[in-house]
């Protein structure tokens, strides 16, 4: 029998999908560096980089709800293939413009927006497709596999290779390398089987509800599911308190306290990525714990406590160890959360709930980024990191109590065969008011983690 973490690879379509995803994620990691140095080659500075990064974020946030509705109404297989083909066309165009010397910053901004829009459609479709592709007992391992290769390729290998290519040649050559990644991913995705379960849950002769009705159903389900709702609220506040300090203020901590440079900052991000991979792999290798909601909120919430020490550390290895721990706890929580969504959300709403997770949990991300800089002018950075480290544990406890998660996880064990679809729907709607039912990548935090990943891509969780 294959080790638990490798069991998903027994299934052919999963092997095809993961192989394509690895190539695509590697290309995304290369884009983080190639885009930055292409902007700099055009004479751009922080403002121009901000324009491109903002365009990417807007593409995600403006269209992720539409992406969730599409995943529940259309063929998930076709959506994923279409997104990869669009990425191939966009990167091919950017590469051609860069290599011929005709590229401008606005081209990169448009490419960033389309790239973000693609992610908005890809993630809900991928989240909804995986439970159709694998048996329930293999979903934890599958999410763990992704939690391993995504940070390794997106935050370490991809940027490192792109950096070497840019240093030896030019940004346009690195972008051409990204095109090769997308060509390979597209060809692999074409090998996915044409299975009915990969398509819409709406029959061809069935009257389709309106798009608004679809969205309303997804929102209603989320609001009436206390553990899902409270985890999303936890994620909103955690992202507000965490992402700004980490993304905006950490570079200044590296410069002023550790007397380091950009390379040291990159190593800290790498330590976080390695920790995330370790946490994901460890979780994928074990059975889903009985107290899965308690463990998830505990590692996500109390895992931020090491940030309290950020403002007082003067040794790089201590700071790196801190971010390694932060990555481990984040990886554990993300794998459990992704599995939880796929196991407990009715499959016909998986796309919409995933997109709502993504949208709601990241809604205050721009606010966090905008506040971090100005606050550092009136409040010591050490105090800001203390607050960042303390907020999540407090909110996690509140969410755990308010969502009655200690009762819900006992009433709905996931280490045994899951209930039928009808049972899940009846439970969700009939008992939604007492915390009984359905939520990454992030990254509640799948969404948070996912855009944290996107932000790390752009900046180069």
């Amino acid at each position: 029998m294959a080790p638990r973490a490798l069991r998903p690879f027994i299934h052919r379509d999963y092997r095809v999908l993961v192989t394509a995803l690895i190539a695509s994620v590697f290309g995304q990691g290369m884009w983080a560096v190639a885009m930055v140095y292409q902007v700099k080659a055009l004479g751009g500075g922080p403002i121009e980089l901000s324009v491109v990064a903002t365009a990417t974020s807007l593409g995600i946030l403006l269209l992720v709800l539409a992406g969730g509705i599409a995943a529940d109404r259309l063929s998930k297989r076709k959506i994923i293939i279409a997104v990869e083909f669009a990425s191939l066309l966009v990167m091919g165009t950017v590469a051609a413009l860069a290599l011929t010397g005709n590229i401008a910053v606005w081209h990169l901004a448009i490419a960033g927006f389309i790239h973000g829009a693609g992610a908005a459609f890809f993630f809900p479709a991928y989240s909804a497709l995986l439970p159709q592709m694998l048996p329930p007992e293999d979903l934890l391992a599958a999410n763990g596999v992704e939690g391993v290769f995504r940070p390794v390729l997106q935050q370490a290998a991809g940027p490192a290779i792109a950096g070497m290519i840019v240093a030896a040649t030019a940004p346009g050559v690195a972008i051409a390398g990204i095109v090769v990644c997308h060509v390979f991913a597209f060809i692999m995705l074409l090998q996915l089987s044409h299975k009915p379960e990969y398509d819409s849950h709406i029959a061809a002769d069935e009257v389709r509800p309106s798009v608004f009705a679809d969205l309303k159903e997804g929102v209603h389900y989320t609001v009436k599911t206390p553990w899902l709702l409270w985890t999303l609220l936890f994620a909103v506040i955690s992202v507000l308190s965490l992402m700004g300090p980490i993304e905006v203020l950490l570079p200044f901590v590296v410069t002023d306290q550790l007397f380091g440079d950009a390379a040291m900052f990159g190593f800290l991000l790498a330590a976080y990525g390695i920790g995330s991979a370790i946490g994901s792999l460890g979780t994928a290798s074990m059975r889903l714990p009985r107290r899965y909601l308690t463990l998830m909120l505990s590692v996500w919430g109390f895992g931020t406590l090491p940030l309290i020490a950020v403002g007082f550390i003067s040794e790089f290895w201590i700071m790196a160890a801190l971010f390694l721990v932060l990555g481990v706890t984040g990886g554990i929580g993300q794998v459990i959360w992704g599995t939880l969504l796929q196991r407990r959300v009715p499959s016909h709403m998986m796309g919409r709930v995933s997109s709502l997770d993504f949208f709601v949990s990241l809604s205050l991300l721009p606010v966090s980024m905008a506040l971090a800089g100005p606050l550092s002018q009136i409040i010591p950075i050490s105090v800001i990191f203390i607050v960042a480290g303390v907020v999540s544990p407090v909110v996690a406890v509140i969410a755990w109590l308010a969502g009655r998660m200690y009762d819900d996880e006992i009433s709905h064990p996931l280490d045994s065969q899951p209930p039928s679809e009808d049972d899940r729907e009846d439970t969700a709607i009939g008992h939604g008011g007492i915390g009984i039912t359905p939520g990454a990548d992030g990254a509640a935090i799948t969404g948070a983690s996912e855009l944290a990943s996107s932000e790390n891509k752009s900046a180069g969780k």
Side-chain angles (χ1 to χ4, degrees):
M1 179 179 294
R4 184 179 299 272
L6 299 180
R7 284 199 314 215
F9 289 95
I10 296 173
H11 306 275
R12 174 194 175 274
D13 277 355
Y14 179 77
R15 295 196 301 270
V16 171
L17 179 61
V18 166
T19 302
L21 193 59
I22 286 173
S24 184
V25 167
F26 185 80
Q28 291 167 2
M30 292 181 66
W31 172 248
V33 171
M35 179 271 291
V36 169
Y37 283 92
Q38 184 61 69
V39 170
K40 293 182 69 174
L42 294 172
I47 293 177
E48 287 76 14
L49 283 174
S50 179
V51 168
V52 178
T54 300
T56 303
S57 298
L58 286 175
I60 295 174
L61 294 177
L62 291 179
L63 293 171
V64 69
L65 295 180
I69 293 172
D72 289 336
R73 294 171 69 95
L74 305 174
S75 166
K76 293 172 277 293
R77 173 184 174 275
K78 291 180 180 178
I79 290 174
I80 288 175
I81 292 174
V83 168
E84 194 59 44
F85 183 64
S87 298
L88 171 58
L89 289 180
V90 170
M91 287 297 108
T93 302
V94 172
L97 290 171
L99 291 172
T100 58
N102 295 312
I103 197 165
V105 171
W106 67 269
H107 293 135
L108 297 171
I110 292 176
F113 182 85
I114 297 174
H115 182 73
F121 281 87
F122 177 88
F123 288 123
Y126 171 80
S127 297
L129 179 61
L130 211 56
Q132 307 298 322
M133 188 175 286
L134 296 172
E137 61 270 17
D138 288 346
L139 290 173
L140 184 71
N143 288 305
V145 168
E146 184 187 355
V148 171
F149 75 72
R150 186 174 289 279
V152 170
L153 298 178
Q154 195 167 287
Q155 298 174 20
I161 295 297
M164 289 189 288
I165 293 174
V166 170
T169 55
V173 178
I175 298 174
I178 297 171
V179 175
V180 174
C181 293
H182 286 300
V183 167
F184 179 80
F186 177 68
I187 293 174
M188 288 301 300
L189 289 175
L190 291 177
Q191 310 308 310
L192 285 174
S193 302
H194 295 261
K195 293 184 178 179
E197 56 265 34
Y198 297 169
D199 295 327
S200 171
H201 287 274
I202 303 175
D205 58 349
E206 184 179 346
V207 177
R208 289 176 176 262
S210 68
V211 170
F212 177 76
D214 271 350
L215 180 59
K216 183 179 179 181
E217 183 185 22
V219 172
H220 180 265
Y221 178 82
T222 301
V223 171
K224 293 298 183 180
T225 304
W227 70 262
L228 173 58
L229 174 65
W230 279 97
T231 306
L232 285 174
L233 293 175
F234 160 77
V236 169
I237 298 174
S238 292
V239 168
L240 176 64
S241 64
L242 289 174
M243 294 309 297
I246 291 176
E247 294 283 348
V248 176
L249 302 182
L250 185 59
F252 295 97
V253 171
V254 170
T255 301
D256 298 338
Q257 287 179 210
L258 304 182
F259 305 105
D261 54 12
M264 183 177 288
F265 177 66
F267 282 129
L268 286 180
L269 294 181
Y272 176 86
I274 292 170
S276 180
I278 293 172
S280 298
L281 181 61
T283 308
S285 302
M286 300 182 294
R287 294 176 62 87
L288 194 66
R290 188 70 180 85
R291 290 280 186 181
Y292 54 88
L293 288 170
T294 299
L295 176 61
M296 180 186 72
L297 280 179
S298 295
V299 294
W300 266 344
F302 292 90
T304 66
L305 285 174
L307 290 176
I308 294 174
V310 165
F312 308 99
I313 294 174
S314 58
E315 297 289 339
F316 167 74
W317 69 270
I318 299 177
M319 189 77 79
L322 181 154
F323 275 87
L324 183 74
V325 171
L326 197 65
V328 169
T329 56
I332 294 171
Q334 183 176 340
V335 172
I336 294 174
W337 177 247
T339 306
L340 193 53
L341 277 172
Q342 294 157 351
R343 291 285 299 272
R344 295 194 60 181
V345 174
S347 58
H348 77 280
M349 282 196 289
M350 185 64 205
R352 281 165 288 170
V353 174
S354 295
S355 64
L356 283 167
D357 159 34
F358 207 112
F359 180 80
V360 173
S361 62
L362 298 174
S363 58
L364 295 183
L365 178 64
V367 178
S368 180
M369 299 294 188
L371 288 178
L375 282 177
S376 68
Q377 302 302 306
I378 56 177
I379 301 175
I381 289 180
S382 59
V383 174
I384 293 176
F385 273 100
I386 289 174
V387 174
V390 169
V391 166
S392 288
V394 173
V395 179
V397 172
I398 293 173
W400 184 74
L401 293 171
R404 296 181 62 85
M405 300 189 192
Y406 47 87
D407 283 339
D408 180 274
E409 60 195 357
I410 295 300
S411 301
H412 296 81
L414 292 184
D415 53 359
S416 58
Q417 187 66 27
S420 68
E421 175 111 341
D422 291 338
D423 290 340
R424 285 189 290 179
E425 290 188 62
D426 291 342
T427 299
I429 304 226
H431 302 284
I434 56 173
I436 300 201
T437 214
D441 105 50
I445 297 198
T446 300
S449 300
E450 294 296 357
L451 192 54
S453 297
S454 296
E455 291 298 324
N456 286 335
K457 285 186 253 173
S458 302
K461 178 164 181 343

